[in-house]
Coordinates of all heavy atoms in Angstrom, one line a residue:
K151 N 0.3 4.0 -14.6 CA -0.2 3.3 -15.8 C 0.8 2.9 -16.8 O 0.8 1.7 -17.3 CB -1.3 4.2 -16.4 CG -1.9 3.5 -17.7 CD -2.9 4.6 -18.4 CE -3.3 4.1 -19.8 NZ -2.2 4.0 -20.8
D155 N 1.7 -0.8 -18.2 CA 1.6 -1.0 -19.6 C 2.9 -1.7 -20.2 O 3.0 -2.5 -21.1 CB 1.4 0.2 -20.5 CG 0.0 0.7 -20.4 OD1 -0.8 -0.1 -20.1 OD2 -0.3 1.8 -20.8
K159 N 0.6 -5.3 -18.9 CA -0.6 -4.7 -19.4 C -1.8 -5.6 -19.5 O -2.9 -5.2 -19.3 CB -0.2 -4.2 -20.9 CG -1.4 -3.3 -21.5 CD -0.9 -2.7 -22.8 CE -2.0 -1.8 -23.4 NZ -1.5 -1.1 -24.6
N160 N -1.6 -6.9 -20.1 CA -2.7 -7.6 -20.4 C -3.4 -8.4 -19.3 O -4.5 -9.0 -19.4 CB -2.3 -8.8 -21.4 CG -1.9 -8.1 -22.7 OD1 -2.5 -7.1 -23.1 ND2 -0.8 -8.7 -23.4
N161 N -2.7 -8.4 -18.1 CA -3.3 -9.0 -17.0 C -3.4 -8.2 -15.7 O -3.3 -8.7 -14.6 CB -2.6 -10.4 -16.6 CG -1.1 -10.2 -16.4 OD1 -0.6 -9.2 -16.5 ND2 -0.5 -11.2 -15.8
T162 N -3.4 -6.9 -15.9 CA -3.5 -5.9 -14.7 C -4.7 -5.1 -14.9 O -4.8 -4.5 -15.9 CB -2.2 -5.2 -14.6 OG1 -1.1 -6.0 -14.5 CG2 -2.3 -4.3 -13.4
F163 N -5.4 -5.0 -13.8 CA -6.7 -4.1 -13.7 C -6.5 -2.9 -13.0 O -6.0 -3.1 -11.8 CB -7.8 -5.1 -13.1 CG -9.1 -4.2 -12.9 CD1 -9.7 -3.4 -13.8 CD2 -9.7 -4.3 -11.6 CE1 -10.9 -2.8 -13.6 CE2 -10.8 -3.7 -11.3 CZ -11.5 -2.9 -12.4
L164 N -6.7 -1.7 -13.5 CA -6.6 -0.5 -12.9 C -8.0 0.2 -12.5 O -8.8 0.2 -13.5 CB -5.8 0.5 -13.6 CG -4.2 0.5 -13.5 CD1 -3.7 -0.8 -14.2 CD2 -3.6 1.7 -14.2
W165 N -8.2 0.6 -11.3 CA -9.5 1.2 -10.9 C -9.1 2.5 -10.2 O -8.5 2.5 -9.2 CB -10.1 0.2 -10.0 CG -11.8 0.5 -9.8 CD1 -12.2 1.8 -9.9 CD2 -12.7 -0.3 -9.4 NE1 -13.6 1.6 -9.7 CE2 -13.8 0.3 -9.3 CE3 -12.6 -1.7 -9.0 CZ2 -15.1 -0.3 -8.9 CZ3 -13.9 -2.3 -8.7 CH2 -15.0 -1.5 -8.6
F166 N -9.5 3.6 -10.8 CA -9.3 4.9 -10.2 C -10.6 5.6 -9.8 O -11.5 5.6 -10.6 CB -8.6 5.7 -11.2 CG -8.3 7.2 -10.9 CD1 -7.2 7.6 -10.1 CD2 -9.3 8.2 -11.2 CE1 -6.9 8.9 -9.8 CE2 -9.0 9.5 -10.8 CZ -7.9 9.9 -10.2
A212 N -15.4 7.4 -11.6 CA -14.6 6.3 -11.5 C -14.1 5.8 -12.9 O -14.9 6.0 -13.9 CB -15.4 5.1 -10.9
L213 N -12.9 5.5 -13.1 CA -12.3 5.0 -14.2 C -11.7 3.6 -14.1 O -11.1 3.3 -13.1 CB -11.2 5.9 -14.7 CG -11.6 7.4 -15.0 CD1 -10.4 8.2 -15.3 CD2 -12.5 7.5 -16.1
A214 N -12.0 2.7 -15.1 CA -11.6 1.4 -15.1 C -10.8 1.1 -16.4 O -11.1 1.5 -17.4 CB -12.7 0.3 -14.9
Y215 N -9.5 0.4 -16.3 CA -8.7 0.2 -17.4 C -8.2 -1.3 -17.3 O -7.6 -1.6 -16.3 CB -7.6 1.2 -17.3 CG -6.4 1.1 -18.3 CD1 -6.7 1.4 -19.6 CD2 -5.2 0.4 -17.9 CE1 -5.7 1.3 -20.6 CE2 -4.2 0.2 -18.9 CZ -4.4 0.7 -20.2 OH -3.4 0.6 -21.1
W216 N -8.4 -2.0 -18.3 CA -7.9 -3.3 -18.6 C -8.0 -3.7 -20.1 O -9.1 -4.2 -20.5 CB -8.7 -4.4 -17.7 CG -7.9 -5.6 -17.6 CD1 -6.8 -6.1 -18.2 CD2 -8.2 -6.7 -16.8 NE1 -6.5 -7.4 -17.9 CE2 -7.4 -7.8 -17.0 CE3 -9.2 -6.9 -15.9 CZ2 -7.4 -9.0 -16.3 CZ3 -9.3 -8.2 -15.1 CH2 -8.4 -9.2 -15.4
P217 N -7.0 -3.4 -20.8 CA -7.1 -3.6 -22.3 C -7.6 -5.1 -22.6 O -7.0 -6.0 -22.0 CB -5.7 -3.5 -22.8 CG -5.2 -2.4 -21.8 CD -5.6 -2.8 -20.4
G218 N -8.5 -5.1 -23.5 CA -9.1 -6.5 -23.9 C -10.2 -7.0 -22.9 O -10.9 -8.0 -23.3
R219 N -10.3 -6.4 -21.8 CA -11.3 -6.9 -20.9 C -12.4 -5.8 -20.6 O -13.6 -6.0 -20.7 CB -10.7 -7.3 -19.5 CG -9.7 -8.5 -19.7 CD -10.4 -9.8 -20.1 NE -11.4 -10.2 -19.1 CZ -11.1 -10.9 -17.9 NH1 -9.8 -11.3 -17.7 NH2 -11.9 -11.3 -17.2
V220 N -12.0 -4.5 -20.3 CA -12.8 -3.5 -20.0 C -13.0 -2.6 -21.3 O -12.1 -2.1 -21.9 CB -12.3 -2.5 -18.9 CG1 -13.1 -1.2 -18.7 CG2 -12.2 -3.3 -17.5
P221 N -14.2 -2.5 -21.8 CA -14.4 -1.7 -23.0 C -14.0 -0.3 -22.9 O -14.2 0.3 -21.9 CB -15.9 -1.8 -23.2 CG -16.4 -3.0 -22.4 CD -15.5 -3.0 -21.2
S222 N -13.3 0.2 -23.9 CA -12.9 1.5 -23.9 C -13.9 2.5 -24.4 O -14.8 2.3 -25.1 CB -11.6 1.7 -24.7 OG -11.9 1.4 -26.2
N223 N -13.9 3.9 -23.9 CA -14.7 4.9 -24.3 C -16.2 4.6 -24.1 O -17.0 4.8 -24.9 CB -14.4 5.2 -25.8 CG -13.0 5.7 -26.1 OD1 -12.4 6.5 -25.3 ND2 -12.5 5.2 -27.2
V224 N -16.4 3.9 -23.0 CA -17.9 3.4 -22.6 C -18.1 4.1 -21.2 O -17.3 4.2 -20.3 CB -18.0 2.0 -22.5 CG1 -19.3 1.6 -22.0 CG2 -17.8 1.3 -23.9
T225 N -19.3 4.7 -21.2 CA -19.7 5.2 -19.9 C -21.0 4.4 -19.4 O -21.8 4.1 -20.1 CB -20.3 6.8 -19.9 OG1 -19.1 7.5 -20.5 CG2 -20.7 7.3 -18.7
S226 N -21.0 4.1 -18.0 CA -21.9 3.3 -17.4 C -22.8 4.1 -16.5 O -22.2 4.9 -15.7 CB -21.4 2.0 -16.8 OG -22.3 1.4 -16.0
L230 N -22.9 2.0 -8.5 CA -21.9 1.3 -7.8 C -21.3 2.1 -6.5 O -21.8 3.3 -6.3 CB -20.7 1.1 -8.8 CG -20.9 0.2 -9.9 CD1 -19.7 -0.1 -10.7 CD2 -21.6 -1.2 -9.6
T238 N -15.2 -7.3 -5.7 CA -14.7 -7.3 -7.1 C -13.4 -7.8 -7.3 O -13.2 -8.7 -8.2 CB -14.8 -5.9 -7.8 OG1 -16.4 -5.5 -7.7 CG2 -14.6 -6.0 -9.3
V239 N -12.4 -7.3 -6.5 CA -11.0 -7.7 -6.7 C -10.9 -9.1 -6.2 O -10.1 -9.9 -6.7 CB -10.2 -6.7 -5.8 CG1 -8.8 -7.3 -5.7 CG2 -10.1 -5.3 -6.5
L242 N -12.0 -11.3 -9.1 CA -11.2 -11.3 -10.2 C -10.0 -12.2 -9.8 O -9.3 -12.7 -10.8 CB -10.9 -10.0 -10.6 CG -11.9 -9.0 -11.1 CD1 -11.4 -7.6 -11.4 CD2 -12.5 -9.6 -12.5
D257 N -19.8 -7.7 -6.3 CA -18.9 -8.0 -7.4 C -19.4 -7.2 -8.7 O -20.4 -7.6 -9.2 CB -18.8 -9.6 -7.7 CG -18.0 -9.8 -8.9 OD1 -17.3 -8.9 -9.4 OD2 -18.0 -11.0 -9.4
A258 N -18.6 -6.3 -9.1 CA -19.1 -5.2 -10.1 C -18.5 -5.7 -11.5 O -18.5 -4.9 -12.4 CB -18.8 -3.9 -9.7
S259 N -17.8 -6.8 -11.6 CA -16.9 -7.2 -12.7 C -17.8 -7.3 -14.1 O -17.4 -6.9 -15.1 CB -16.2 -8.4 -12.6 OG -17.1 -9.6 -12.3
E260 N -19.2 -7.7 -13.8 CA -20.0 -7.7 -15.0 C -20.3 -6.3 -15.6 O -20.4 -6.1 -16.8 CB -21.3 -8.4 -14.7 CG -21.1 -9.9 -14.4 CD -20.8 -10.7 -15.7 OE1 -21.5 -10.8 -16.7 OE2 -19.6 -11.2 -15.6
V261 N -20.4 -5.3 -14.7 CA -20.5 -4.0 -15.1 C -19.3 -3.4 -15.8 O -19.3 -2.8 -16.8 CB -21.1 -3.1 -13.9 CG1 -21.0 -1.6 -14.3 CG2 -22.4 -3.5 -13.4
L262 N -18.2 -3.7 -15.2 CA -16.9 -3.2 -15.6 C -16.6 -3.7 -17.0 O -16.0 -3.1 -17.9 CB -15.8 -3.6 -14.7 CG -15.9 -2.8 -13.2 CD1 -14.9 -3.4 -12.2 CD2 -15.8 -1.4 -13.4
F263 N -16.9 -5.0 -17.3 CA -16.5 -5.7 -18.4 C -17.7 -5.4 -19.6 O -17.6 -5.9 -20.7 CB -16.5 -7.2 -18.3 CG -15.4 -7.5 -17.4 CD1 -15.3 -8.7 -16.7 CD2 -14.3 -6.7 -17.2 CE1 -14.3 -9.1 -16.0 CE2 -13.2 -7.0 -16.5 CZ -13.1 -8.2 -15.8
G264 N -18.6 -4.5 -19.3 CA -19.7 -4.2 -20.2 C -20.8 -5.2 -20.5 O -21.5 -5.1 -21.4
R265 N -20.8 -6.2 -19.7 CA -21.8 -7.2 -19.7 C -23.3 -7.0 -19.0 O -24.1 -7.7 -19.1 CB -21.2 -8.5 -19.5 CG -20.1 -9.0 -20.2 CD -19.8 -10.4 -20.1 NE -19.1 -10.8 -18.8 CZ -17.8 -10.9 -18.6 NH1 -17.0 -10.7 -19.6 NH2 -17.4 -11.1 -17.5
A266 N -23.2 -5.9 -18.2 CA -24.4 -5.5 -17.5 C -24.4 -4.0 -17.2 O -23.3 -3.3 -17.1 CB -24.3 -6.4 -16.1
Q267 N -25.7 -3.6 -16.9 CA -25.8 -2.1 -16.7 C -26.5 -2.0 -15.4 O -26.8 -0.7 -15.0 CB -26.6 -1.4 -17.9 CG -25.7 -1.0 -19.0 CD -24.6 0.0 -18.7 OE1 -24.9 0.9 -18.0 NE2 -23.5 -0.2 -19.3

Side-chain angles (χ1 to χ4, degrees):
K151 175 184 173 295
D155 284 345
K159 182 176 183 176
N160 295 324
N161 62 349
T162 303
F163 171 52
L164 275 68
W165 194 337
F166 175 86
L213 300 172
Y215 174 77
W216 192 353
R219 299 292 298 277
V220 174
S222 60
N223 300 317
V224 173
T225 300
S226 173
L230 299 180
T238 301
V239 170
L242 292 177
D257 174 10
S259 56
E260 291 296 295
V261 174
L262 296 170
F263 296 154
R265 296 195 288 261
Q267 280 295 319

